[in-house]
Amino acid sequence: MAALDRVKVLVLGDSGVGKSSLVHLLCHNQVLGNPSWTVGCSVDVRIHDYKEGTPEEKTYYIELWDVGGSVGSATSVKSTRAVFYNSLNGIILVHDLTNKKSSQNLYRWSLEALNRDVAPTGVLVTNGDYDREQFADNQIPLLVIGTKLDQIPETKRNEVLTRTAFLAEDFNAEEINLDCTNPRYLAAGSSNAVKLSRFFDKVIEKRYFLRDGNQIPGFSERKRFGGGTVKSLHYD
Amino acid sequence: MSFLIDSSIMVTSQVLFFGFGWLFFMRKLFKDYEVRQYVVQVIFSVTFAFSCTMFELIIFEILGVLNSSSRYFHWKLNLCVILLILVFMVPFYIGYFVVSNIRLLHRQKLLFACVLWLTFMYFFWKLGDPFPILSPKHGILSIEQLISRVGVIGVTLMALLSGFGAVNCPYTYMSYFLRNVTDADILALERRLLQTMDMIISKKKRIAVAHRTMFQRGEVHNKPTGFWGMIKSVTTSVAGSENLSLIQQEVDALEELSRQLFLETADLHATKERIEYSKTFQGKYFNFLGYFFSIYCVWKIFMATINIVFDRVGKTDPVTRGIEITVNYLGIQFDVKFWSQHISFILVGIIIVTSIRGLLITLTKFFYAISSSKSSNVIVLLLAQIMGMYFVSSVLLIRMSMPLEYRTIITEVLGELQFNFYHRWFDVIFLVSALSSILFLYLAHKQAPEKHMAL
């Protein structure tokens, strides 16, 4: 087995979209029987074969950090959540296909995670606006997953899928739409499984193989409020 | 003719209130969800509109706006509609939405919704038995019967919220109760949290590796299945699976610990934010208000106790009493009629506005805390029910704060309810609620620094 280096991928999204079910499906290939409220953060581990089928195949452990909560929480809750955003290597953005607001909130989620994951001194504040250039410049791989596909009636499916395609394009990311209670969506060899595998490969590549100073994540432009509280968080 | 004008004024105001309720629903309550069932939004706005109209009619009564007979008519109409909504419509829809969430009962949604509604009606009716609320002269389905029961529930709610609010308000406002939290505390706790997460991760890695090796070796089932499997597991224990279940238990314990640590960290962050807020100008103002409210709270508890012990129900309202005092003892002469009208208008207006605002804020907080995408409809309807009952009982209790000449309309419409009972009941529940909140907050406050010290 490979050496125990960390590869950390965050799973973000609104409450109730199905992050815990998704993580369970990704890590155990089984459906989660009794989903309940996630308090704080729950972690799970997926064993991923990097470059499967080639001579360079190597096994990695990918940690999926499922952070619960709502994007409109109080500042104190956000600063509590921020402790989980250290040194991330990838983000999976989860939204509910039956709830448009959860898709819109993904912009704010990604801003929250990416803004936090910069040098730990000082409090960074942006005006919260979404800027497409920032996402184009972003070094951290993103993946957009839409859940509860089975609850969309056939007639509305096209419309919903077009909307999510735009969403994924905005993030400069791939997208997968599935139903977390049905493992067949991620069956080996399906296009979803291929996209997932490619995403994890990209995460591992960025983490290990492009080490020439490319660990700097996030945005090239940050607005800083002078005089804010200096909070130095440790790097683990 | 004047009746038509009056009615059109009432209808316009109702439409305005309906619009306000609609906006509130969309902007505040449901801002994270998509409204798929417009019925819910309509019901909520309608309940809100009719409740506010009741208050409006009281104000009109005091100010003498509109014709007296048309006021009476609208009162009766309003009351009938509100009772219809609170007793028939909202419970039925709550039952309907609860049933539609359960997958098994999907086919017979209406049937089960009716069954649930009938159960609700039964308990609602039984509620009236232990209380001496009415004289037995009236028939089964009269307004008095329904209102008396709605009143009991509503008054209990009001007293609970009021008691808790009276105690909680100074506790949150005053900075005397704020625990001292330093950055070092937060960092230490965060470090512990991350360490716990690391331990969970390493154990899960071991489990994942073990599963994978077992899968590759073809031993897919690690739990003994069937009769022979159980017999076999007694003699030959698979070492891997025993080990695994042990690790799994450790993981579960660590996950519970991580949840606790997360909640404590969130608590510390919140306290730190409050400390910083208390240093600002606004914070200082609220701190001062807190002292004022604590005195008010103590006074209210004292009055409630006196009322219960001496079995005293205030005969005169504060306005008339205040005027009496100023006229008789302080010797200031002024036009009693004119001033009593205006002062009671202001007093009643303030009470109404603060109670509406307070209730809406509490409901919103409550909704954010407990709703999810599946249950949001049911919870909003429950909140509409609570809101309706709360406002109806406010009308019952507000009668006490008004001078005699304005009480007539309420007494006329509501007939022979034993108003004194409601006030006594309010005092009892208020006292119970306030004392238990004090106890609860005391315990919570004591426990927190101990947890803090244990780091």
Side-chain angles (χ1 to χ4, degrees):
Chain A
M1 286 297 155
L4 297 176
D5 287 282
R6 309 198 91 135
V7 182
K8 179 168 160 178
V9 172
L10 273 190
V11 179
L12 295 179
D14 279 353
S15 315
V17 296
K19 299 187 292 293
S20 308
S21 306
L22 176 71
V23 167
H24 197 263
L25 187 63
L26 288 178
C27 297
H28 302 269
N29 280 325
Q30 278 172 357
V31 176
L32 182 61
N34 53 337
S36 66
W37 221 254
T38 316
V39 174
C41 172
S42 92
V43 195
D44 219 335
V45 172
R46 176 183 163 103
I47 301 187
H48 178 70
D49 295 315
Y50 174 61
K51 291 218 170 137
E52 192 167 5
T54 67
E56 294 120 28
E57 178 174 335
K58 201 174 172 202
T59 317
Y60 285 94
Y61 298 102
I62 302 196
E63 301 162 19
L64 294 169
W65 291 57
D66 162 20
V67 179
S70 143
V71 72
S73 302
T75 328
S76 62
V77 180
K78 286 191 183 170
S79 9
T80 322
R81 277 208 293 261
V83 73
F84 299 123
Y85 298 160
N86 280 337
S87 59
L88 22 110
N89 305 113
I91 304 183
I92 298 183
L93 295 167
V94 187
H95 66 114
D96 184 350
L97 291 170
T98 59
N99 183 354
K100 270 189 221 153
K101 296 236 173 99
S102 66
S103 322
Q104 288 162 3
N105 282 338
L106 284 185
Y107 297 107
R108 293 162 71 186
W109 275 115
S110 52
L111 280 176
E112 189 180 318
L114 291 172
N115 268 345
R116 194 60 198 82
D117 189 38
V118 286
T121 53
V123 171
L124 302 169
V125 180
T126 68
N127 55 7
D129 279 348
Y130 156 68
D131 183 1
R132 197 152 170 190
E133 267 67 64
Q134 292 174 330
F135 282 103
D137 196 30
N138 177 32
Q139 298 284 359
I140 301 189
L142 299 172
L143 176 69
V144 175
I145 296 191
T147 54
K148 306 195 190 169
L149 182 63
D150 55 321
Q151 288 177 24
I152 310 250
E154 287 290 343
T155 46
K156 294 223 180 126
R157 223 164 253 210
N158 270 332
E159 177 194 325
V160 168
L161 291 178
T162 335
R163 173 168 61 86
T164 55
F166 279 128
L167 183 74
E169 212 182 289
D170 278 340
F171 285 115
N172 198 19
E174 295 259 16
E175 66 151 350
I176 295 179
N177 293 315
L178 46 66
D179 165 25
C180 298
T181 58
N182 191 346
R184 130 181 110 82
Y185 282 96
L186 289 177
S190 64
S191 64
N192 286 340
V194 168
K195 284 187 201 167
L196 200 63
S197 194
R198 260 209 312 252
F199 169 71
F200 285 131
D201 282 349
K202 204 164 144 195
V203 166
I204 294 175
E205 260 172 33
K206 289 261 160 77
R207 167 83 173 84
Y208 288 108
F209 298 114
L210 301 171
R211 270 193 174 263
D212 37 3
N214 266 11
Q215 276 282 71
I216 310 162
F219 305 142
S220 45
E221 261 193 47
R222 316 184 301 249
K223 298 183 191 121
R224 221 181 257 253
F225 270 0
T229 20
V230 172
K231 199 162 98 151
S232 53
L233 271 193
H234 54 283
Y235 262 137
D236 42 357
Chain B
M1 185 57 204
S2 66
F3 180 71
L4 277 176
I5 300 180
D6 293 344
S7 304
S8 52
I9 297 180
M10 290 306 299
V11 169
T12 333
S13 57
Q14 273 174 349
V15 167
L16 272 174
F17 287 134
F18 180 86
F20 183 74
W22 185 273
L23 274 177
F24 174 75
F25 184 93
M26 254 190 350
R27 293 286 171 77
K28 285 281 177 127
L29 278 185
F30 253 47
K31 65 173 190 190
D32 281 333
Y33 302 104
E34 234 177 83
V35 181
R36 245 147 326 129
Q37 308 269 12
Y38 277 102
V39 172
V40 174
Q41 195 168 2
V42 166
I43 291 184
F44 183 86
S45 312
V46 162
T47 317
F48 183 76
F50 279 102
S51 314
C52 288
T53 322
M54 274 197 306
F55 287 130
E56 191 192 14
L57 280 170
I58 294 184
I59 298 275
F60 282 173
E61 178 73 22
I62 296 181
L63 288 182
V65 176
L66 299 189
N67 205 349
S68 154
S69 57
S70 49
R71 275 202 304 257
Y72 182 72
F73 170 77
H74 278 284
W75 250 115
K76 273 231 123 99
L77 178 70
N78 215 338
L79 224 48
C80 287
V81 171
I82 271 232
L83 283 176
L84 209 75
I85 296 179
L86 283 182
V87 175
F88 293 105
M89 271 184 73
V90 179
F92 176 74
Y93 271 110
I94 291 180
Y96 180 76
F97 281 114
V98 163
V99 166
S100 25
N101 268 343
I102 307 176
R103 282 195 194 175
L104 291 171
L105 308 173
H106 233 268
R107 313 272 174 75
Q108 312 281 0
K109 261 195 271 203
L110 275 176
L111 180 69
F112 281 106
C114 287
V115 167
L116 273 176
W117 181 75
L118 285 171
T119 335
F120 165 78
M121 278 310 285
Y122 175 72
F123 282 113
F124 184 70
W125 211 256
K126 278 290 172 198
L127 193 63
D129 291 345
F131 296 111
I133 28 187
L134 328 164
S135 42
K137 281 197 287 185
H138 297 276
I140 283 284
L141 216 57
S142 61
I143 289 190
E144 283 81 4
Q145 292 267 5
L146 294 176
I147 279 229
S148 59
R149 288 172 169 79
V150 169
V152 169
I153 303 179
V155 165
T156 318
L157 276 170
M158 274 187 80
L160 281 174
L161 283 177
S162 178
F164 180 70
V167 171
N168 195 37
C169 177
Y171 181 73
T172 37
Y173 282 1
M174 299 200 319
S175 50
Y176 174 74
F177 294 114
L178 279 183
R179 299 191 301 278
N180 208 0
V181 168
T182 61
D183 277 342
D185 296 332
I186 297 186
L187 280 183
L189 203 55
E190 282 177 350
R191 188 169 297 131
R192 267 186 80 191
L193 179 59
L194 287 176
Q195 275 172 357
T196 317
M197 304 301 291
D198 287 345
M199 290 201 287
I200 296 178
I201 291 175
S202 60
K203 290 201 197 289
K204 286 207 168 170
K205 282 180 187 171
R206 283 168 61 189
I207 297 181
V209 166
H211 272 146
R212 202 183 212 207
T213 24
M214 280 176 19
F215 182 69
Q216 281 168 350
R217 273 195 237 141
E219 303 161 17
V220 182
H221 306 289
N222 55 350
K223 281 210 189 93
T225 49
F227 185 62
W228 287 116
M230 282 202 297
I231 301 272
K232 214 162 79 171
S233 72
V234 169
T235 49
T236 62
S237 57
V238 185
S241 74
E242 267 184 17
N243 218 358
L244 273 189
S245 62
L246 201 64
I247 303 183
Q248 185 62 42
Q249 279 174 9
E250 289 174 18
V251 165
D252 291 336
L254 281 176
E255 282 185 331
E256 187 59 42
L257 177 64
S258 78
R259 280 190 277 269
Q260 294 292 335
L261 286 176
F262 178 79
L263 289 175
E264 279 178 35
T265 318
D267 200 30
L268 285 189
H269 274 280
T271 316
K272 179 161 167 243
E273 199 179 307
R274 275 181 60 195
I275 293 180
E276 280 171 25
Y277 179 73
S278 73
K279 294 186 187 139
T280 66
F281 185 65
Q282 248 191 334
K284 293 201 174 115
Y285 166 71
F286 274 112
N287 187 26
F288 172 71
L289 269 190
Y291 283 104
F292 179 71
F293 275 126
S294 57
I295 298 177
Y296 173 71
C297 169
V298 169
W299 182 75
K300 274 203 86 162
I301 294 183
F302 183 65
M303 288 308 289
T305 327
I306 297 259
N307 278 345
I308 296 176
V309 167
F310 291 117
D311 198 21
R312 182 183 83 97
V313 182
K315 293 288 177 194
T316 53
D317 55 291
V319 182
T320 320
R321 170 89 51 79
I323 293 182
E324 264 175 28
I325 296 181
T326 42
V327 168
N328 294 341
Y329 295 113
L330 300 181
I332 304 177
Q333 298 290 340
F334 54 90
D335 184 1
V336 176
K337 270 223 73 129
F338 175 76
W339 281 108
S340 92
Q341 184 185 35
H342 279 74
I343 295 180
S344 37
F345 163 67
I346 293 178
L347 184 70
V348 169
I350 292 180
I351 294 179
I352 289 175
V353 168
T354 43
S355 72
I356 292 184
R357 181 177 170 275
L359 183 75
L360 286 181
I361 290 181
T362 315
L363 289 186
T364 320
K365 271 197 224 161
F366 198 63
F367 182 72
Y368 285 162
I370 64 175
S371 77
S372 70
S373 52
K374 276 184 88 177
S375 60
S376 55
N377 283 335
V378 173
I379 295 188
V380 161
L381 285 176
L382 275 174
L383 293 185
Q385 176 91 350
I386 292 179
M387 177 174 74
M389 291 188 169
Y390 187 95
F391 286 151
V392 166
S393 14
S394 317
V395 166
L396 288 184
L397 293 181
I398 239 181
R399 189 181 152 274
M400 203 41 120
S401 315
M402 301 199 297
L404 271 170
E405 59 261 32
Y406 305 124
R407 292 186 197 175
T408 48
I409 198 173
I410 303 186
T411 331
E412 254 182 64
V413 174
L414 294 181
E416 295 178 26
L417 287 184
Q418 309 276 45
F419 290 103
N420 294 342
F421 163 74
Y422 288 107
H423 287 284
R424 178 53 27 81
W425 183 246
F426 180 89
D427 285 331
V428 168
I429 301 283
F430 176 83
L431 201 62
V432 165
S433 161
L435 290 178
S436 40
S437 312
I438 291 182
L439 185 69
F440 172 72
L441 284 176
Y442 176 74
L443 286 176
H445 191 72
K446 268 288 172 206
Q447 202 197 28
E450 278 164 11
K451 274 197 296 197
H452 202 54
M453 299 301 178
L455 292 179

